[in-house]
Structures are given as structure tokens and as C-alpha cells.
Amino acid sequence: MTTANDMIESGTSPKLRPAGNVALRPAQQPAGPFEVPTQRREPTVRDALITGLLVIYQAFAAVAAIIAELFLAGAGSI
């Protein structure tokens, strides 16, 4: 990677595009985390399975926490 010190020592200036140039097209730029990718794909069974597991895990965790709380509350009264 070229740093500012490398450019100063070598005597070359950075190559900048003129202001009138067209920027890169979206297909040439990688999609960021908040950008929609240019190539869309259809949802698969794997996507549905992962989504379902993420939802079911939360429900099971909540039920397990309630059962553990009831068990511990009952065990303290002995």
C-alpha cells in the first residue's frame, strides 16, 4: 500500500480523476453492509431453516428461563 511518505520521497503525485469523470458504476463496486447487492437471488430452503431456527431458539430460551425461575423460586421456600 502506498503511503503519503512514499509518494513524497518518490516525487510522484497521486493520480486523481478529474471532476468531470463519471464515477464507477454500482456493478463495479462491492456492496456494503447497508447496500442492496446488484444481483438478487431467490430465497432457499436453507434461508428459511436458519430464520426459523433463530426464531425458535429465542422462544425456547424464554420458556427455559421462565421454568428455571419457577424452579428456583420454589426451591427457596423449602
Side-chain angles (χ1 to χ4, degrees):
M1 184 170 151
T2 305
T3 63
N5 288 334
D6 294 338
M7 285 187 277
I8 292 170
E9 290 173 3
S10 67
T12 60
S13 63
K15 295 183 174 38
L16 301 175
R17 287 180 295 175
N21 264 5
V22 178
L24 295 174
R25 295 185 312 224
Q28 294 174 329
Q29 297 176 347
F34 302 107
E35 297 175 4
V36 177
T38 55
Q39 298 172 349
R40 293 214 157 281
R41 63 181 182 87
E42 295 296 318
T44 62
V45 175
R46 178 180 171 260
D47 296 334
L49 179 64
I50 296 296
T51 303
L53 287 175
L54 289 173
V55 171
I56 290 171
Y57 172 77
Q58 299 297 322
F60 282 146
V63 170
I66 292 170
I67 291 172
E69 179 184 357
L70 291 174
F71 175 74
L72 292 174
S77 64
I78 293 178

